[in-house]
Each structure stands twice: as structure tokens, then as C-alpha cells.
Amino acid sequence: MENLRDLYQEVILDHNRNPRNFRKMEKPDGFAHGNNPLCGDQIDIYLKIRDGIVEDVSFDGMGCAICTASASMMTLALKRKTEQEATALFESFHHCLTEDEPHPEDVPLGKLEVLAGVKEYPVRVKCATLAWHTFLAALKHRQDSISTE
Amino acid sequence: MSGAAPYDVTARRLDFPILGRSVHGQPLVYLDNAASSQHPRQVIDAVGHFYEHSYSNIHRGVHLLSQEATLAYETGRLAARGLLNAACSHEVVFTSGATASINLVAQSYARPRLKAGDEILITHMEHHSNIVPWQMVCEQTGAVLKVVPINDSGELEMDAFEQLLNERTRLVSVVHVSNALGTVNPVERIVELAHEQGVPVLLDGAQAVPHLPVDVQALDCDFYVFSGHKIYGPTGIGVLYGKEALLNAMPPYQGGGDMILSVSFKGTTYNNLPYKFEAGTPNIAGAVGLGAAIEYVQSIGLDAIAAHEHELLRYATERLKEIKGLRIVGEAANKAGLISFVLDRVHPHDIGTILDSQGIAIRTGHHCAQPVMERYGVPATARASFALYNTRNEVDALVEGIRKVIGMFE
């Protein structure tokens, strides 16, 4: 039970109870639906990009506490990041959850560090990364739609 | 008249070595039996003894080991015949499990018979393994899949079943006991109604055979399937029971060795039942283990097991209902030993992780029954499922564990 507090930290429980940027977005520049078929987690990510910078990102859906908190914290971390910075942040976050040693190119995670406890629960890593994968899909989807114009 | 001896769960627990281990420093409370049950010493030893003393390929060699292996494999089949009370042992086909058995019937029985517009009738509470094989065969033939709805308690709507059963229906395939809801379906009535229309019935007994006595002759079902690993046997072994006349009329599902009488490049003569459907070297040790598992279950008695599990179910239902914010999904009048539930404000995944930290193993997710989850408007449930070795103390541990989950999220 004690180790569990590393996973379910107060910050995480708070984001789960009161998720930030938990809303649909009118006319997003990017959108993707994320689905974890094994556990039924479903997340929609909405994205507004101006001049290569994430101006707004929000989410909607249903998931476990780890999934919801991670999505909520992600929306805060991504704001005003360039696409490259956002991608680098995802990769660093992913390393933190899945690998013992940081990579040399990893960027500081800031408040996302609180999710590092998920590493001890390998089956839950997919819960913590669902929002991020969906964000990347939303980013790509936007680029795809631009390229078809 | 003396009553039956009281059910000795303490003695039964000693048969299962794994129940002695601890998980995260706590005694293991294993309540994920509907996913897969644990193995008694009798099964582990039977498989070990077979590998150490009698292992060989079957139905081939003139040497002693091959004869012993063949005998051990066929003894497993006799045990399965006895479990289901099939009329003869060649109506019992070994497969890799219930899923493979259903696919066999879909491809070998249904596919050659189906035409565009024909209908297969299943229910809303099926496991994916009793949905997808029919969707595949419908795609192949132009047949249509029809689905019997369920009510809020998790029971089949039998009026709708009768209406959906019509002159286009070619097969009814229904789960005997629901893995997501615990509902025991009125399979006698289902078979009777279907047969009145001349429609054969497949029953998916994966969750039924460990928990209640099954008699395929009394049921008069046409096909019955189950998996070994849910009845204390190994994985990778299961059974397709089929009525002899139906199995005889079906073409082989897979070609290969053991399913033939003679092969030449001009043509091949298929083997007799059940070997016609057992191409390739089968899971020999699996059949041995399944036989030992069935013998074990029968030595205790399925009536005694059912009574023990029903009492656990009753007690667990009562205790779980005391918990504020807990909702049981599936409250059929006739249920077998499992409870699906959800908590206000706590996702089943979080319930699963927090219970695991207390040594309590339950299943969380959609239980391979996504249409059921959709029907009750939940993304997933937590599920505690009981076996012959579970105790009231374990139910108490579950209840205590759930209270800790709620405490954490308050």
C-alpha cells in the first residue's frame, strides 16, 4: 500500500478530480481520438496551432486516474511549446516511464516528473502515455490535412 | 438420513500450491478465476508424471511409450465425455480451447450451409469469441448476424429471442454463463425453442463447466464448447462436443496428419470422428492435464462446488452492496460465481492496481465483452470471480480492499 502513494500522488489525484483543459474545442486545427482497447480508456485531443506553436490543447473522454491526470498535465505542459519542443517533451517523458537511464538529449520534465512513479507499474504505462500518443496523432493529422491542400 | 459432509474449503486450498504464495507481501487472494483458474497438485503432478514417464506422440508408434501416451490422451477424452455426459467419446473433439471450437463450427458447420440472407442468432452478452467468428462467416457468405437484447438486470429478453428466431435462422449460438455478468442463461428453453424451428444450437460453456453440472444429452444442444484452463486444467486444450450426425456431416476444419485414413496425390480419405477434426500433433499433455482436472472436480462433486460458490456469491453480493458508491453490473436472478462492479469516481483500472497492492487479484477491463460494457454505459468494470477454493475471508479482504480504494480517492 505504501508504494502506491508514489503512483497515486496527491497532485495526480487532484488532476483526476479536476482535470484542466477538459473540454471540447470548436474548430480545432488538429484532432485525434485515442483508444486503449484493452482497458476501455478513450480520449479525444483538440489542438490549436499558430505559427508552429501550440496555442491551445484540450481533451475530453473517459479514462483511469493515471490516464486522466496525465492528459490534464500534458495540456498544461504543451502550451506555447513549438512542435519540436512538444515532440522532445513526449520522448523524454516516455523515456522516464520506460527506461532506467535518461537519454542525453532528454529535456527537463518539470511538473510531469510526478508521473515517474508509473514506471514501477509497467501495465499502467500505456495509461500515462495514451494522451501523448493521441496528441501526436492530432499533430500529424493536422499536418496531413495541410499537405492535402 | 445423513446430510453430505460439510464442504472443506481449507482442505481444498491445500490442493493448490500457488495459493500459498504471497503477492506484494500479502497473502494471495485470487479472484480472477473467470479469466483462468489455478491448478491443483493433482493436475500439476499428472502432467509432470506424463512427461517423466509416458510422453511420446500418439496414434502412431508401435512402441510402448506411444501406446501409453495414446491411452493417456484418450483417457482425457473419456473424462471430458463424462463431464458433459456425451453419448459417446467420439463426439468429443479436442481443440485448443473454446475459441477454436467455435471457429471450427463457424467454418466447418455454418460456412458451407449459409447463403446470403440467412441468419445466425447470438446474444448481446456474448464474449468476443462468440461474436467475431460469426461476423467472419457472415462476411464470407452474406449471412446476417442477429443479436438478442438483454435487460437491465443482465438477463436475455426471451420474448425478443422468440421473435428473432425465424425461418431464416440457421444457427443459434449462446453463452451458457456470461463471463461479464455472471448470468446463467435458460439454455434448456433456448434449445427447445430453437429446435421447434429446426435450428441447431451451440452453447458456449467456458464459464459454465467449472461451476455447474452440464448434461449435453439432457440439454439436447447440438454443440457445446469449453476451455480446459477455466476448469483447473492447462491452457491450450479445450473441447468441442457435437452430435455425431452433425460432426459426421461436416468437412474437416484443417488438413494434416492424424485426420486422414489414407493420402495419395489422387485424393485423401478422412479419418473417423473425432480424429477428422484433430489435424496435427495435438496438445497431448494438455489433454492429460484436462483429464486430471475433470477427475479432480468430479471427486469433489460439481453440486458441492456450485453450492459453495453460490454461498460465496450471495455473501459477496450482500457485502459489496453495503459499500456506498458501488454498483453491481449484472443482477440476474440466476447467476454463477462472479460479480462485475463499478465505483463512483474510481476507474476500474485504478481499483485493480490498488487491490493488487493488497495481494488481491481481480480482472478489470471490458472482459472481451465490449457490447456488454456499451449496454450498461460503462467503459470497463472490475470483476471478482470465484472458484472452489475461495473463502468468505477472501470476500472480506476484497470488501476491505475496496474501502481502501475509496479512501484513497476521497
Side-chain angles (χ1 to χ4, degrees):
Chain A
M1 276 301 274
E2 285 317 302
N3 296 339
L4 265 187
R5 281 288 168 202
D6 293 337
L7 182 63
Y8 294 102
Q9 298 195 34
E10 196 43 53
V11 180
I12 290 175
L13 294 174
D14 175 60
H15 275 272
N16 177 51
R17 270 190 299 264
N18 307 300
R20 324 298 198 265
N21 299 304
F22 187 69
R23 55 186 155 80
K24 290 187 170 64
M25 194 185 288
E26 294 295 323
K27 297 184 183 159
D29 299 322
F31 168 82
H33 175 72
N35 170 30
N36 188 339
L38 281 177
C39 48
D41 291 348
Q42 310 252 1
I43 273 200
D44 290 334
I45 297 283
Y46 304 86
L47 199 56
K48 267 203 170 45
I49 304 269
R50 287 288 176 276
D51 304 325
I53 291 173
V54 178
E55 191 178 88
D56 192 13
V57 52
S58 71
F59 79 106
D60 188 33
M62 268 193 298
C64 65
I66 304 303
C67 175
T68 305
S70 179
S72 170
M73 298 176 77
M74 179 191 81
T75 63
L76 297 178
L78 285 175
K79 281 198 187 163
R80 286 176 291 283
K81 292 273 192 293
T82 66
E83 292 178 34
Q84 288 76 10
E85 285 169 342
T87 309
L89 190 58
F90 165 70
E91 281 168 7
S92 306
F93 179 64
H94 198 259
H95 294 156
C96 168
L97 296 192
T98 54
E99 293 179 27
D100 289 332
E101 299 295 330
H103 289 211
E105 69 275 18
D106 278 351
V107 298
L109 292 177
K111 290 178 177 166
L112 298 176
E113 286 276 4
V114 75
L115 285 157
V118 174
K119 183 167 179 296
E120 301 305 315
Y121 299 83
V123 296
R124 306 302 299 275
V125 169
K126 61 188 190 303
C127 309
T129 52
L130 178 64
W132 286 89
H133 286 296
T134 312
F135 164 73
L136 291 180
L139 207 57
K140 184 167 180 297
H141 179 67
R142 175 190 136 271
Q143 286 163 346
D144 286 348
S145 54
I146 285 168
S147 69
T148 56
E149 277 177 1
Chain B
M1 246 176 56
S2 65
Y7 188 85
D8 188 352
V9 71
T10 312
R12 294 289 72 79
R13 290 183 70 78
L14 293 174
D15 292 335
F16 290 79
I18 204 169
L19 297 180
R21 74 161 281 183
S22 63
V23 168
H24 305 303
Q26 311 274 339
L28 168 65
V29 175
Y30 189 78
L31 298 175
D32 193 20
N33 297 287
S36 202
S37 51
Q38 298 297 346
H39 302 88
R41 172 63 66 198
Q42 289 82 340
V43 168
I44 298 167
D45 285 352
V47 173
H49 185 271
F50 175 68
Y51 276 127
E52 286 182 20
H53 294 276
S54 302
Y55 179 75
S56 171
N57 210 329
I58 53 166
H59 301 146
R60 311 253 202 292
V62 294
H63 57 81
L64 182 68
L65 289 190
S66 181
Q67 292 170 41
E68 287 184 9
T70 302
L71 181 64
Y73 180 75
E74 293 301 332
T75 303
R77 193 189 312 275
L78 290 176
R81 188 207 72 78
L83 182 75
L84 299 179
N85 192 32
C88 41
S89 59
H90 59 253
E91 291 179 322
V92 174
V93 177
F94 279 131
T95 65
S96 65
T99 297
S101 301
I102 295 172
N103 276 280
L104 194 164
V105 175
Q107 290 300 315
S108 180
Y109 175 79
R111 189 176 179 181
R113 288 168 177 75
L114 289 175
K115 297 186 303 292
D118 285 350
E119 293 176 4
I120 301 279
L121 187 55
I122 63 169
T123 82
H124 205 118
M125 71 172 84
E126 301 307 322
H127 188 281
H128 294 166
S129 62
N130 201 22
I131 301 173
V132 183
W134 306 116
Q135 288 174 328
M136 288 165 67
V137 80
C138 284
E139 209 162 272
Q140 288 156 346
T141 60
V144 183
L145 192 62
K146 294 286 180 179
V147 181
V148 180
I150 49 182
N151 66 21
D152 289 343
S153 304
E155 293 162 329
L156 287 182
E157 293 189 2
M158 289 302 287
D159 290 349
F161 175 77
E162 288 190 52
Q163 280 164 13
L164 284 164
L165 191 64
N166 63 43
E167 68 285 352
R168 293 182 299 279
T169 312
R170 295 290 169 266
L171 187 79
V172 170
S173 191
V174 176
V175 70
H176 191 167
V177 175
S178 158
N179 74 308
L181 300 167
T183 310
V184 181
N185 282 317
V187 287
E188 297 84 353
R189 182 78 184 129
I190 285 168
V191 172
E192 193 180 299
L193 288 166
H195 283 182
E196 280 171 15
Q197 308 283 326
V199 179
V201 178
L202 182 152
L203 296 177
D204 169 4
Q207 301 290 344
V209 291
H211 305 296
L212 45 93
V214 172
D215 181 334
V216 292
Q217 292 188 77
L219 285 171
D220 197 29
C221 59
D222 302 275
F223 300 103
Y224 197 96
V225 308
F226 72 91
S227 295
H229 71 98
K230 294 192 200 290
I231 183 166
Y232 314 103
T235 55
I237 188 79
V239 160
L240 164 65
Y241 158 81
K243 283 182 178 167
E244 183 176 3
L246 290 175
L247 291 177
N248 268 328
M250 287 157 58
Y253 177 44
Q254 293 180 317
D258 229 22
M259 53 74 71
I260 44 80
L261 284 178
S262 70
V263 174
S264 77
F265 289 113
K266 290 200 183 102
T268 290
T269 310
Y270 300 132
N271 204 338
N272 300 318
L273 290 179
Y275 311 112
K276 183 169 85 172
F277 294 109
E278 295 180 2
T281 298
N283 184 352
I284 307 169
V288 171
L290 176 59
I294 291 170
E295 197 180 311
Y296 175 77
V297 163
Q298 289 180 325
S299 73
I300 301 166
L302 271 157
D303 286 316
I305 293 169
H308 171 71
E309 291 176 353
H310 265 113
E311 173 51 24
L312 277 182
L313 177 67
R314 186 202 62 73
Y315 179 63
T317 304
E318 182 186 299
R319 295 277 343 256
L320 289 179
K321 281 186 168 174
E322 291 167 3
I323 299 174
K324 207 165 159 269
L326 185 146
R327 174 163 72 98
I328 291 176
V329 178
E331 297 196 90
N334 192 4
K335 269 180 81 169
L338 70 87
I339 303 183
S340 259
F341 62 93
V342 290
L343 290 180
D344 287 350
R345 294 189 301 279
V346 190
H347 191 279
H349 254 194
D350 299 310
I351 302 173
T353 295
I354 300 169
L355 289 179
D356 176 61
S357 74
Q358 301 168 61
I360 304 167
I362 61 157
R363 174 77 185 270
T364 63
H366 55 56
H367 318 296
C368 293
Q370 282 180 310
V372 174
M373 301 298 114
E374 198 186 319
R375 167 68 177 76
Y376 294 101
V378 293
T381 72
R383 179 187 70 188
S385 51
F386 306 114
L388 62 87
Y389 41 69
N390 290 123
T391 66
R392 283 170 72 101
N393 285 345
E394 290 180 310
V395 172
D396 293 337
L398 172 69
V399 170
E400 189 56 33
I402 294 169
R403 289 196 190 282
K404 283 183 185 158
V405 172
I406 293 169
M408 199 152 192
F409 274 75
E410 257 169 7

